[in-house]
Amino acid sequence: GVGLMGHGMAKNIVTKGYPLAVLGHRNRSPVESLLSLGATEAKSVRELAQGCDIVHLCVTGSPQVEALMLGNDGLLTQLRPGSVIIDCSTSNPVSTLTLAAQAHALGISFADAPLSRTPKEAEAGTLDTMVGADLATFERIEPVLRCWAGNIVHLGAVGLGHKMKLINNFIAMGYAALFAEALAISRKAGLSIEQFHSVIGSGRMRSPFYDTFMQW
């Protein structure tokens, strides 16, 4: 998926020396951008799988990952043994572990490498990623991950990346809810957003997530 996050990731892979194929997308703009940088376009999952050793999945979540991996024309039936699937989506760890076991039985390695930060960092090649993979798989894919990630944390076995991603999101949404409630209470108490920010934005409570939240 070469959307908001995937386009930047793919751009950094192809411009840093790796041959890249992308799956055709209804939104042609990011596809055409990548083709202009030297990528090629696969017309189907089958075509993509038959021409690749490492496949990144950057889609919405587990239903979309499962749709790409399973079935007669899915990645599991089309990839060669020895290939690697890297799921960068925000996926359900239960599904991830099931798919990883199915891949392993076919001689295909699986890593979960969900993302943190924003499309801006994706374009810059400085995303954060939290990786679940056996050590041999991690060492094999790390040079490719370094094309698009500035901070790579190998957590251990497959599945741990997606578990950590959900915990990361839990914390982020907790902060978002707290900031939203604090702003609502401030307004009811007669304090403006500007007054709130003049104190919180210049003190110990400020954080990168606070800065992102307060843009809106």
Side-chain angles (χ1 to χ4, degrees):
V2 289
L4 291 174
M5 301 295 273
H7 174 269
M9 296 166 67
K11 181 196 76 173
N12 280 287
I13 291 171
V14 72
T15 58
K16 292 177 182 177
Y18 287 92
L20 177 76
V22 298
L23 194 60
H25 197 277
R26 285 173 296 179
N27 180 6
R28 297 301 303 172
S29 178
V31 176
E32 296 299 333
S33 168
L34 293 167
L35 294 180
S36 73
L37 296 173
T40 59
E41 181 179 359
K43 301 299 184 183
S44 66
V45 174
R46 177 195 289 264
E47 183 180 331
L48 184 80
Q50 292 177 349
C52 294
D53 300 309
I54 298 175
V55 176
H56 283 73
L57 302 178
C58 190
V59 292
T60 307
S62 289
Q64 292 76 24
V65 172
E66 291 168 2
L68 288 165
M69 288 187 61
L70 303 175
N72 291 335
D73 290 323
L75 291 171
L76 291 183
T77 58
Q78 299 301 320
L79 281 170
R80 296 180 294 273
S83 302
V84 184
I85 298 169
I86 307 173
D87 183 10
C88 299
S89 317
T90 300
S91 295
N92 180 339
V94 176
S95 173
T96 297
L97 290 169
T98 300
L99 293 172
Q102 291 175 287
H104 180 74
L106 297 168
I108 299 168
S109 298
F110 191 99
D112 46 316
L115 315 170
S116 184
R117 296 191 182 270
T118 71
K120 177 182 176 181
E121 286 79 27
E123 290 293 328
T126 57
L127 288 169
D128 295 346
T129 185
M130 51 215 85
V131 184
D134 63 73
L135 183 58
T137 299
F138 175 73
E139 290 178 343
R140 179 180 174 190
I141 65 175
E142 185 180 12
V144 184
L145 300 182
R146 292 208 175 277
C147 292
W148 52 261
N151 183 35
I152 301 170
V153 180
H154 181 213
L155 297 167
V158 66
L160 291 178
H162 282 145
K163 291 176 183 179
M164 187 66 235
K165 172 62 174 177
L166 296 185
I167 293 169
N168 180 84
N169 284 10
F170 173 72
I171 294 170
M173 293 303 98
Y175 273 126
L178 182 63
F179 293 149
E181 291 290 342
L183 284 165
I185 293 170
S186 296
R187 180 169 292 173
K188 289 181 179 180
L191 292 160
S192 68
I193 291 175
E194 290 74 23
Q195 288 172 315
F196 176 94
H197 182 59
S198 70
V199 174
I200 304 302
S202 62
R204 293 180 62 213
M205 300 302 165
R206 186 173 183 176
S207 67
F209 185 88
Y210 173 86
D211 290 340
T212 299
F213 180 90
M214 290 300 289
Q215 291 177 24
W216 310 104

